[in-house]
């Protein structure tokens, strides 16, 4: 009986050490360039229609956004940061098409809350997808993801929550 109890205590101790609900935020965010794939409403993985009308090649504004999205020099963000307990904080820089955004950011590995502050944006964006990308970085509220896929949730100007799907492109 004493052996079983000791064995159970060891199993519980091992589980409590190895079970960790915290993200490795440093490896998720830093040392890579994140490129936008899409922006969707919360609960959907379908590209949100910022353009009105059909989302196809006959919609010139949509086509222009999609062509710009294919260029890896557009729609990207890079994070630097240091960890203190469960929180990472640092600086970020990103680019839509012509607009560049810089600021500070913080993310909590346990709650997955994320925020940005002290942002500055050079050049306003005339492209609606680029403007939404900049707005998303400016109004981040939480994240999900891993080292290969990152979803940044943000409050849109209409109060709804949208998220940006980002991937690492080599």
């Amino acid at each position: 009986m004493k052996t079983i109890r000791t064995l159970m205590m060891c199993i519980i101790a091992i589980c409590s050490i190895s079970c960790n609900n915290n993200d490795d935020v440093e490896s998720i965010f830093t040392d890579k360039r994140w490129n936008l794939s899409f922006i969707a409403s919360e609960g959907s993985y379908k590209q949100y229609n910022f353009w009105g009308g059909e989302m196809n090649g006959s919609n010139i504004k949509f086509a222009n956004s999609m062509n710009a999205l294919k260029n890896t020099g557009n729609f990207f963000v890079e994070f630097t940061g240091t960890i203190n307990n469960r929180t990472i904080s640092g600086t970020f820089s990103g680019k839509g098409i012509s607009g560049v955004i810089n600021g500070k950011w913080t993310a909590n590995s346990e709650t997955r809350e994320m925020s940005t502050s002290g942002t500055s944006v050079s050049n306003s964006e005339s492209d609606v997808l680029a403007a939404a990308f900049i707005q998303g970085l400016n109004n981040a509220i939480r994240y999900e993801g891993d080292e290969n896929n990152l979803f940044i949730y943000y409050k849109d100007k209409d109060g709804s929550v949208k998220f940006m799907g980002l991937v690492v492109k080599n």
Side-chain angles (χ1 to χ4, degrees):
M1 188 68 157
K2 191 173 187 179
T3 305
I4 293 174
R5 187 178 310 151
T6 304
L7 183 59
M8 292 299 286
M9 294 301 279
C10 288
I11 290 171
I12 290 170
I14 290 170
C15 285
S16 66
I17 291 170
S18 65
C19 296
N20 183 348
N21 290 329
N22 295 331
D23 287 338
D24 182 355
V25 287
E26 187 172 32
S27 67
I28 290 173
F29 284 98
T30 63
D31 296 329
K32 57 184 67 110
R33 176 179 275 199
W34 289 103
N35 288 86
L36 181 69
S37 292
F38 65 92
I39 298 178
S41 293
E42 187 173 34
S44 169
Y45 287 91
K46 181 180 176 189
Q47 172 64 57
Y48 183 82
N49 187 346
F50 292 103
W51 305 269
E54 297 293 318
M55 291 193 304
N56 59 37
S58 66
N59 184 332
I60 299 301
K61 290 182 179 182
F62 172 77
N64 289 343
S65 291
M66 293 301 107
N67 285 334
L69 187 60
K70 292 176 188 174
N71 181 341
T72 57
N74 297 329
F75 297 102
F76 71 85
V77 62
E78 297 174 327
F79 298 92
T80 62
T82 55
I83 296 175
N84 184 7
N85 294 324
R86 293 182 176 113
T87 302
I88 186 169
S89 57
T91 60
F92 74 95
S93 62
K95 181 176 180 277
I97 297 173
S98 61
V100 174
I101 184 170
N102 296 291
K104 297 176 183 176
W105 72 285
T106 185
N108 183 295
S109 67
E110 190 173 44
T111 64
R112 295 190 176 102
E113 292 173 343
M114 179 181 183
S115 63
T116 59
S117 63
T119 58
S120 65
V121 180
S122 67
N123 298 326
S124 62
E125 291 285 1
S126 59
D127 180 90
V128 294
L129 184 61
F133 177 68
I134 297 294
Q135 181 183 8
L137 292 173
N138 214 9
N139 298 319
I141 57 173
R142 70 179 186 271
Y143 77 92
E144 292 178 2
D146 58 28
E147 293 82 8
N148 300 306
N149 298 285
L150 177 61
F151 301 100
I152 297 177
Y153 291 78
Y154 70 96
K155 281 258 192 196
D156 199 0
K157 57 188 165 203
D158 65 5
S160 65
V161 176
K162 295 192 174 55
F163 69 96
M164 302 183 291
L166 301 137
V167 295
V168 176
K169 291 186 180 175
N170 295 327

